[in-house]
Amino acid sequence: MKNHRLMKKIFAGSLALVSALTIGSSAFASATKIADVSQYQGSINWSKASKVLKLAIIRVKHGNSGDSDYTIDSKRNTNATGAKKYGVPFGQYDYVEFNSTADAVKDARQFYALSSTNAKFYALDNEHRVSSAKGKEQTYVNAWLSTMRSLTNKPVIYYSYQSFVSSHSISTSKFDGTWIANYSAKPNVSTDLWQYTSSGSVSGISGNADLSKVVDSKTVSSWYNYTSKATYMTSIKSGTKVYATRAINRYKTANLTGKVASVKYNTALTAKSIVKSSNGTARILLTNGTYITANKAYVQTR
């Protein structure tokens, strides 16, 4: 009798586990939507949105400092934090307004500095052509991309409208994929992700949202399943200028303890040598006797 009751409990427990797994699988299976979001979506309920979002692409900024309509997205950090907390993989995008090669380089550096370290990939939103860029759009696009390549080993994606790509003959072959908008029909230019509407609905988001469909599942999944591995500088000549590509800190020790000061992105520091922390991680010893990270995702030489 005791054995019979025990078997009933085991059986009931098994059913409960199967039920829980089924519910969990169903919830995961329902996460099929891909949306790009910005401050214009207001305060997103990421707990609700995570139930339906397979992927989110979060705006970081619009334009570059000096542009009359330059804006750093006020919800970029909140959205990145919310997506991370509720398990929604996300990339981030940069709405650009290039007017020179130097502007494209500056734009990429600022975008990267403002982006989240948890972003799986980065996207260039290239849909606004300034008059001075006539005939040079590809040059500026290439400059932005090469700068991003120097800053990160994560995938870098090209976004625009079908009409823009066609009219300006933009080559996207050097990117890790394309994300193209066209609301009337599937794009007739090469695309891996198709933004098909600007009036979609997503649970947890008030109002409309841009939604996209996967065209090449292998390519798109490689963006958000990408795992970035930290790489470190292994040697450096004394006197070399090192630039912070994100906001970092200077410390008293090679273990990065005893914070001395904050360092803004694009600040130039003078290196003395590469040293190791107590666990063998490379650090940069500066000529002023303080230490910073040697992680290439945070610092670089030029």
Side-chain angles (χ1 to χ4, degrees):
M1 187 67 176
K2 288 182 179 179
N3 288 339
H4 180 65
R5 285 199 297 268
L6 178 61
M7 290 303 294
K8 285 181 69 178
K9 288 182 179 180
I10 293 174
F11 181 68
S14 298
L15 284 178
L17 177 60
V18 170
S19 177
L21 290 173
T22 301
I23 292 171
S25 298
S26 297
F28 179 78
S30 67
T32 58
K33 294 187 176 183
I34 298 175
D36 52 284
V37 298
S38 70
Q39 65 188 43
Y40 298 114
Q41 275 66 53
S43 297
I44 297 174
N45 184 326
W46 282 98
S47 177
K48 288 184 178 180
S50 65
K51 304 297 192 300
V52 297
L53 283 180
K54 177 180 182 178
L55 173 66
I57 310 176
I58 299 168
R59 189 180 77 154
V60 170
K61 66 181 186 66
H62 177 116
N64 202 356
S65 55
D67 295 338
S68 59
D69 56 353
Y70 172 62
T71 306
I72 295 176
D73 198 291
S74 62
K75 294 291 186 181
R76 74 189 193 285
N77 291 334
T78 301
N79 284 334
T81 300
K84 173 68 175 177
K85 178 179 179 179
Y86 290 99
V88 179
F90 69 92
Q92 291 188 302
Y93 74 93
D94 180 18
Y95 184 108
V96 302
E97 296 177 322
F98 300 142
N99 54 46
S100 68
T101 299
D103 183 56
V105 171
K106 177 183 176 183
D107 189 293
R109 292 193 185 285
Q110 185 183 44
F111 166 62
Y112 180 75
L114 293 170
S115 66
S116 169
T117 57
N118 293 314
K120 293 290 187 179
F121 60 91
Y122 304 103
L124 168 65
D125 182 346
N126 183 49
E127 59 184 270
H128 183 202
R129 184 184 178 89
V130 297
S131 58
S132 60
K134 187 176 182 180
K136 300 178 181 178
E137 186 66 24
Q138 187 70 57
T139 300
Y140 301 157
V141 166
N142 290 347
W144 185 95
L145 176 61
S146 62
T147 303
M148 288 298 293
R149 294 290 192 211
S150 74
L151 294 167
T152 180
N153 56 17
K154 293 180 181 181
V156 184
I157 316 307
Y158 180 87
Y159 167 90
S160 192
Y161 285 85
Q162 170 186 291
S163 57
F164 189 96
V165 174
S166 298
S167 62
H168 301 302
S169 301
I170 302 295
S171 171
T172 60
S173 61
K174 294 182 179 180
F175 286 80
D176 298 303
T178 52
W179 171 30
I180 303 298
N182 194 56
Y183 302 150
S184 60
K186 183 179 176 181
N188 58 21
V189 296
S190 177
T191 187
D192 302 300
L193 185 64
W194 167 26
Q195 187 186 85
Y196 67 94
T197 183
S198 59
S199 55
S201 62
V202 176
S203 177
I205 297 179
S206 299
N208 295 332
D210 296 339
L211 296 181
S212 297
K213 293 180 180 179
V214 173
V215 176
D216 186 324
S217 59
K218 182 178 180 180
T219 298
V220 174
S221 64
S222 72
W223 303 344
Y224 61 84
N225 286 322
Y226 183 82
T227 302
S228 180
K229 294 181 180 179
T231 56
Y232 294 82
M233 295 183 187
T234 56
S235 63
I236 197 166
K237 291 183 179 179
S238 180
T240 299
K241 293 295 183 182
V242 180
Y243 295 83
T245 59
R246 296 182 183 275
I248 59 172
N249 297 316
R250 290 192 292 114
Y251 297 90
K252 293 180 179 179
T253 74
N255 289 330
L256 303 187
T257 58
K259 178 181 172 181
V260 174
S262 298
V263 179
K264 295 180 179 180
Y265 98 93
N266 224 22
T267 298
L269 302 168
T270 306
K272 182 177 181 180
S273 63
I274 298 292
V275 298
K276 296 291 182 70
S277 69
S278 59
N279 65 1
T281 303
R283 312 295 193 199
I284 298 175
L285 170 61
L286 302 175
T287 53
N288 62 13
T290 61
Y291 300 82
I292 60 172
T293 178
N295 188 330
K296 292 180 180 180
Y298 294 86
V299 292
Q300 67 174 190
T301 57
R302 299 176 192 165

